[in-house]
């Protein structure tokens, strides 16, 4: 048996056609589904009451600004120069920065995948099957990553179609006699410095994810209004976050909401369906689609970062070894660091702070570099 195929290159960043690019239509769903991550399930339990709705608006506006910075960096018609002095410094710092980026991506990958696996375990299975769930989910992510950027981008549209309908499922609960819409009022009740800063960081973390489209720079169709399509995707996320938060607050009320870990999943148990006894058994699997999509881009970014550090070739052998090591690391992290609630909460907070700061700093830094290069040229 020949093993030569193991050393064949994998065209992760090549397309089947030279004229095949990510369209503006696809970019809408890429941005939107990247923002629908595991911590969206935690959003109502974090903000709790309607007087924190303004935090979601702040997160949306910050995301809009970041998307402007990202779109300016991605536009091909603008001068790409970088000041020579800064360019030399960037080369010296490239390895430390990539190492930080790899650590960040491993944290992001672990929190999202293990968090979702815990939801599956908690609501759908009676016996402890965390290892099996993680292995199955990882294989799906690894397979989609293997399909390359072009197919991952196309999958964003299917991800939207298979998961966006979940919001509509909750509309039925608004007609329940126990619903009190006044529970959402007032929408402003002052500013509490420490608590609200944490809330703002949390919601920025919810809106984070589109920074990954920086990886897709060469695959985006030239001469399209990137910012316009990113804005549409970001606005869809705002609507989704707003509706889900509103449904949760008026259904449970602030006092009970703070006691529930996953309100959106728990709320689904109260939905009456003539076809299904437990609607959450359908909602949880379909929520997997945006997670698989975003984790595939994270996985691809991680693989690319490690290639930069270790200088290996992109072939079947290196990708298999990378996947095997990452799966082993994932299982180790789940067993050693995320098995207890206290540990899980600690690393979740680290993830929230890291993703929110990264989503602010990276687009701003790239935008400033581009502006400085333009002035110098």
């Amino acid at each position: 048996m020949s093993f030569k195929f193991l050393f064949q290159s994998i065209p992760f960043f090549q397309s089947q056609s030279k004229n095949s690019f990510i369209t503006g239509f696809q970019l809408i769903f890429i941005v939107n589904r990247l923002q629908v991550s595991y911590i969206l399930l935690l959003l109502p339990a974090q903000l709790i009451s309607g007087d924190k709705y303004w935090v979601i608006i702040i997160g949306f506006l910050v995301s809009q600004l970041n998307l402007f910075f990202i779109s300016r960096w991605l536009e091909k018609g603008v001068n790409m120069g970088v000041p020579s002095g800064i360019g030399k410094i960037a080369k010296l710092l490239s390895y430390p920065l990539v190492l930080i980026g790899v650590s960040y991506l491993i944290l992001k990958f672990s929190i999202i995948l293990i968090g979702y696996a815990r939801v599956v375990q908690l609501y759908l299975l009676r016996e402890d099957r965390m290892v099996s769930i993680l292995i199955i989910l990882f294989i799906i992510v690894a397979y989609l990553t293997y399909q390359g950027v072009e197919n991952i981008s196309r999958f964003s549209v299917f991800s939207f179609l298979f998961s966006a309908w979940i919001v509509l499922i909750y509309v039925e609960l608004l007609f329940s006699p126990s619903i009190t819409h006044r529970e959402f009022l007032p929408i402003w009740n002052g500013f509490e410095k420490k608590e609200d800063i944490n809330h703002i960081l949390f919601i920025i973390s919810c809106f984070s994810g589109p920074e990954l489209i920086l990886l897709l720079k060469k695959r985006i169709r030239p001469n399209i209004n990137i910012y316009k399509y990113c804005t549409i995707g970001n606005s869809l996320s705002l609507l989704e976050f707003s509706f889900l938060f509103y449904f949760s607050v008026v259904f449970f009320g602030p006092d009970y909401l703070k006691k529930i870990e996953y309100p959106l999943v728990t709320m689904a148990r109260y939905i009456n369906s003539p076809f299904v006894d437990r609607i959450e058994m359908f909602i949880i699997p379909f929520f997997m689609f945006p997670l698989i999509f975003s984790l595939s881009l994270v996985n691809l970014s991680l693989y690319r970062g490690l290639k930069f550090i270790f200088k290996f070739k992109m072939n079947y052998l290196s990708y298999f070894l990378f996947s095997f090591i990452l799966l082993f690391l994932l299982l180790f992290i789940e067993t050693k660091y995320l098995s207890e609630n206290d540990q899980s909460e600690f690393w979740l907070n680290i993830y929230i702070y890291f993703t929110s700061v990264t989503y602010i700093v990276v687009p701003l830094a790239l935008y400033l570099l581009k502006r400085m290069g333009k002035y110098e040229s």
Side-chain angles (χ1 to χ4, degrees):
M1 182 178 178
S2 177
F3 293 96
K4 291 183 179 180
F5 76 95
L6 291 173
F7 301 96
Q8 295 177 1
S9 62
I10 305 179
F12 284 116
F13 299 94
Q14 297 178 11
S15 60
Q16 298 175 357
S17 171
K18 291 184 178 180
N19 296 321
S20 179
F21 292 97
I22 296 172
T23 64
F25 180 74
Q26 289 177 325
L27 199 57
I28 292 173
F29 301 114
I30 290 173
V31 170
N32 174 247
R33 292 299 95 178
L34 282 174
Q35 293 175 325
V36 180
S37 68
Y38 158 71
I39 60 170
L40 174 59
L41 298 175
L42 306 172
L43 187 151
Q46 291 288 323
L47 301 185
I48 298 176
S49 58
D51 62 1
K52 301 300 179 187
Y53 177 69
W54 63 270
V55 176
I56 297 180
I57 302 299
I58 293 294
F60 168 75
L61 294 176
V62 171
S63 183
Q64 273 295 111
L65 184 60
N66 293 335
L67 288 171
F68 170 75
F69 295 149
I70 290 171
S71 64
R72 294 296 292 171
W73 177 264
L74 292 174
E75 286 175 358
K76 295 179 173 59
V78 185
N79 189 292
M80 285 298 297
V82 174
S84 57
I86 294 179
K88 293 177 181 178
I89 295 173
K91 288 181 179 179
L92 292 174
L93 295 177
S94 59
Y95 277 94
L97 290 175
V98 172
L99 281 172
I100 294 172
V102 165
S103 301
Y104 161 72
L105 291 171
I106 291 174
L107 176 65
K108 187 181 183 76
F109 194 93
S110 303
I111 291 293
I112 293 176
L113 197 64
I114 294 173
Y116 176 74
R118 184 172 287 115
V119 173
V120 174
Q121 172 67 55
L122 183 62
Y123 287 91
L124 301 185
L125 301 176
R126 294 181 180 181
E127 299 179 1
D128 187 1
R129 292 285 186 269
M130 276 295 291
V131 173
S132 300
I133 297 169
L134 286 173
I135 291 174
I136 292 171
L137 291 174
F138 182 84
I139 290 173
I140 297 173
V141 171
Y143 177 75
L144 182 58
T145 305
Y146 163 75
Q147 298 303 310
V149 166
E150 183 177 359
N151 288 318
I152 294 174
S153 303
R154 289 174 179 172
F155 186 75
S156 65
V157 180
F158 294 100
S159 172
F160 179 84
L161 294 175
F162 282 108
S163 58
W165 61 269
I166 293 175
V167 178
L168 303 177
I169 290 291
Y170 294 105
V171 173
E172 177 192 328
L173 297 175
L174 295 179
F175 301 98
S176 171
S178 61
I179 286 289
T180 305
H181 295 277
R182 291 182 180 178
E183 292 281 4
F184 202 74
L185 300 174
I187 58 173
W188 170 262
N189 195 24
F191 180 80
E192 300 177 15
K193 187 175 180 181
K194 182 178 180 181
E195 181 181 349
D196 286 338
I197 287 176
N198 288 331
H199 287 153
I200 291 172
L201 289 175
F202 174 84
I203 205 65
I204 292 175
S205 179
C206 284
F207 276 100
S208 70
E211 67 273 15
L212 290 173
I213 66 176
L214 294 168
L215 176 73
L216 310 178
K217 178 177 175 58
K218 295 182 180 180
R219 298 303 322 141
I220 297 176
R221 184 182 296 278
N223 303 320
I224 66 170
N225 190 334
I226 296 175
Y227 183 60
K228 179 181 76 172
Y229 296 109
C230 287
T231 296
I232 297 173
N234 196 43
S235 300
L236 288 175
S237 299
L238 173 65
L239 291 174
E240 195 166 352
F241 293 179
S242 299
F243 283 129
L244 292 175
F245 180 54
Y246 178 78
F247 293 155
S248 301
V249 172
V250 300
F251 184 77
F252 289 117
D255 294 333
Y256 187 57
L257 189 57
K258 65 179 69 173
K259 301 176 182 178
I260 309 172
E261 187 175 7
Y262 302 106
L264 296 176
V265 184
T266 303
M267 189 164 55
R269 290 180 167 179
Y270 296 90
I271 298 174
N272 296 318
S273 172
F275 308 105
V276 188
D277 290 333
R278 296 177 58 193
I279 196 68
E280 74 272 13
M281 295 186 69
F282 280 81
I283 288 179
I284 293 174
F286 277 104
F287 189 76
M288 175 181 68
F289 282 88
L291 300 187
I292 295 299
F293 163 68
S294 61
L295 287 176
S296 297
L297 279 181
V298 172
N299 195 36
L300 190 57
S301 303
L302 184 57
Y303 180 67
R304 193 178 188 183
L306 290 173
K307 175 187 177 296
F308 177 84
I309 296 172
F310 296 107
K311 305 298 182 184
F312 56 75
K313 295 182 178 180
M314 283 188 173
N315 53 36
Y316 291 94
L317 178 61
S318 66
Y319 184 63
F320 174 79
L321 292 174
F322 159 78
S323 300
F324 179 80
I325 293 171
L326 184 58
L327 176 58
F328 178 80
L329 181 61
L330 187 70
L331 296 175
F332 174 77
I333 291 172
E334 193 280 325
T335 304
K336 190 73 175 178
Y337 297 104
L338 296 177
S339 57
E340 301 294 334
N341 289 335
D342 292 341
Q343 292 177 319
S344 180
E345 185 176 351
F346 170 79
W347 287 107
L348 178 62
N349 288 330
I350 296 295
Y351 168 81
I352 290 169
Y353 295 141
F354 213 151
T355 50
S356 57
V357 171
T358 302
Y359 189 39
I360 294 172
V361 171
V362 171
L364 177 60
L366 292 176
Y367 175 75
L368 292 176
L369 281 175
K370 194 165 190 177
R371 295 292 295 178
M372 292 170 68
K374 182 178 180 180
Y375 288 136
E376 186 169 286
S377 61

